[in-house]
Amino acid sequence: MVLKGISDDGAPRGVRWAPGRAREARTALYLLVVLTAGAYLPSPLYPLYQREFGFSDLTMTLVYAMFALVSVPVLVLFGSLSDALGKRAVLRGGIALAAVGSACFAFAADPGWLLVGRAAQGLALGACTGAATALIAECADRRDRGRASVLASIAFVLGTAAGPSAAGLLAQHAPAPRVLPYALHAALLAIAWHRVAAVPGARSGRWRPELPRIPRGSRLRFTAAAGTGFLAWTAAGLFLAVIPAALGRAAGVDDLAVVGGVLAAVLLCSALTQPLVPRLGARRAQLAGLAGLAVGLAALAFTGGGSVPVTLLAAVGTGLGHGLAYGGASAAIAADDRRGAVTSALYLAFYLGAGVPAVAVGLLAGRFGLTTATSWLSAAAVVLVPLVALAVLRTAVVGRPPATRPLVRTVLTEARTVVDARVRFLGAPRVEHRRVEHNRVEHRRIGHRRVDRAPAAPVPHRRHPGAAHVRTAPAPQRPREDVAAGV
């Protein structure tokens, strides 16, 4: 479904591709799904690694956050690398790094292997995300590039949902739970390597680091969008990093397939709501997403992962809110004139939201326990939701165009303009124009001002050429010296 398109109103069913470029677009979409699925394969397996290697909750959250911490500089500094090296070279480099990451997890003997594997996955996805997304937009017809961008973001989230669910099922019901998911991922990467051969390797520019820059006129809108995206990925990061271990300790869930299903519910609900963003608009999508996040985070704060039904309800609410909030935040800055620099800064907020709160939970868990730490941080995120919502509403007031000002203010402004114009007209000296005969000069004083005019020449009326009625043309003024001399 992702490779062919999705639906029409908010998104992307029947995306029209440029002639001869449909295969390249499908290759880029397939690669996004495979890379994101591999990046989130370890999520339901963290309790398994923790029991096997005996590391702390802080180490577990650091392993998860390593992906986000590495992706941030790669995305910011090497976003235009595909222009210098060509998209095919960058995509194949990302595939190779993703294979290295899967191999590190498959043959891991201590937490160091896991950290190296997460770093490799972050490098792979950070380098390929920009190149694959740009390729999808280039392959689409010019009228459908907006839909193609939505399709790329949906493929990204669907891959994120497919990874935990597939890993949980394979680990629970198949042999070699620490090896088989990554072996399957390596096979999918091999197919991607073969398909990327059809992608052109032409270079279109030079590599230049694209540092985040926020124009002065976009700072309020960017702050609201960044806060919304930060909270959206904070909620998703809590589920992907700590909920698997919390379900095992507090709720006694040892079935990795159930754990993977709970994690997949978050991202699947997110993928289902993202196509609604174009229909709702950026501001309303952010507000609706924040409401969903508040419900999900409140439920998570109440249970801390200690109840499977409540945690599943929190996953659904968080997923619905995540899709609208994440999509609305991205759409809020899509019309900015300096879209590249602002987008880099926005994704910086996204990745920090995914990594930093999870590490904070790990720090608190060492003293207060994982369930309590999860509840506290979820409650803190709920407190931030109204503040971010006020910032989003503030952007609507500040960014309101003059045409949408209140009616009373508009009427008063127009009335003041008319009165000022009338006062200026009444205070100015008036000149009376009269018809005069040929070869005569009229002298008339009005308001202590002398006006000298020559007789006007008759001009035929435009509506009735040749008729008896004529219209006089403006009479040229003559210098006072000539009038005095009797000319």
Side-chain angles (χ1 to χ4, degrees), residues 181-192:
Y182 305 105
L184 179 61
H185 184 245
L188 296 176
L189 289 174
I191 298 174

Side-chain angles (χ1 to χ4, degrees), residues 40 61 64-65 68 225-244 263 266-267 289-290 292-294 296-298 300-301 314-315 318-319 321-323 325-326 346-361 373-385 388:
Y40 291 96
T61 55
Y64 167 80
T228 303
F230 184 91
L231 287 178
W233 283 104
T234 294
L238 288 176
F239 275 90
L240 294 170
V242 302
I243 290 303
L263 302 186
V266 178
L267 285 312
L290 288 171
L293 290 174
L297 289 169
L300 190 60
T318 300
H322 177 273
Y326 168 53
L346 187 65
Y347 273 87
L348 178 63
F350 292 168
Y351 278 104
L352 290 177
V356 173
V359 176
V361 171
T374 303
S375 297
W376 286 2
L377 199 133
S378 301
V382 171
V383 173
L384 293 177
V385 167
V388 177

Side-chain angles (χ1 to χ4, degrees), residues 128-457:
C128 289
T129 298
T133 305
L135 181 60
I136 293 168
E138 290 176 6
C139 293
D141 186 82
R142 181 172 298 180
R143 294 169 294 179
D144 286 350
R145 287 183 177 175
R147 292 183 176 183
S149 298
V150 175
L151 185 61
S153 64
I154 292 174
F156 187 94
V157 176
L158 283 178
T160 307
S165 59
L169 286 172
L170 292 174
Q172 185 66 33
H173 301 292
R178 288 173 43 195
V179 176
L180 186 59
Y182 305 105
L184 179 61
H185 184 245
L188 296 176
L189 289 174
I191 298 174
W193 181 278
H194 175 71
R195 291 180 64 95
V196 167
V199 176
R203 305 176 182 181
S204 58
R206 297 183 304 171
W207 170 72
R208 293 183 303 172
E210 194 171 2
L211 299 177
R213 294 185 303 274
I214 312 302
R216 184 178 298 274
S218 304
R219 289 177 182 173
L220 180 59
R221 185 170 68 252
F222 169 81
T223 302
T228 303
F230 184 91
L231 287 178
W233 283 104
T234 294
L238 288 176
F239 275 90
L240 294 170
V242 302
I243 290 303
L247 285 174
R249 298 179 195 177
V253 177
D254 295 328
D255 193 331
L256 297 180
V258 174
V259 175
V262 172
L263 302 186
V266 178
L267 285 312
L268 186 60
C269 292
S270 175
L272 291 176
T273 55
Q274 283 191 39
L276 300 177
V277 172
R279 186 183 304 176
L280 293 175
R283 182 172 62 88
R284 287 192 292 177
Q286 290 181 86
L287 294 175
L290 288 171
L293 290 174
V295 172
L297 289 169
L300 190 60
F302 175 74
T303 182
S307 171
V308 176
V310 178
T311 304
L312 184 59
L313 175 64
V316 172
T318 300
L320 296 175
H322 177 273
L324 293 174
Y326 168 53
S330 301
I333 55 94
D336 199 277
D337 293 335
R338 297 168 63 180
R339 191 164 47 248
V342 177
T343 301
S344 298
L346 187 65
Y347 273 87
L348 178 63
F350 292 168
Y351 278 104
L352 290 177
V356 173
V359 176
V361 171
L363 290 171
L364 293 173
R367 184 173 181 181
F368 302 102
L370 185 63
T371 302
T372 303
T374 303
S375 297
W376 286 2
L377 199 133
S378 301
V382 171
V383 173
L384 293 177
V385 167
L387 301 178
V388 177
L390 287 176
V392 175
L393 291 173
R394 178 64 178 168
T395 60
V397 176
V398 174
R400 180 182 296 168
T404 61
R405 290 179 301 182
L407 180 62
V408 175
R409 185 184 302 176
T410 303
V411 172
L412 292 177
T413 303
E414 296 297 332
R416 184 183 301 173
T417 304
V418 172
V419 171
D420 292 344
R422 185 63 179 170
V423 169
R424 288 195 300 268
F425 175 75
L426 293 176
R430 293 175 296 171
V431 178
E432 181 181 344
H433 297 281
R434 296 178 56 191
R435 293 185 179 182
V436 295
E437 299 178 357
H438 293 287
N439 301 324
R440 293 183 60 185
V441 178
E442 181 185 12
H443 306 283
R444 187 177 183 87
R445 290 183 179 272
I446 298 179
H448 304 288
R449 181 176 178 182
R450 181 172 181 176
V451 179
D452 303 319
R453 299 189 306 164

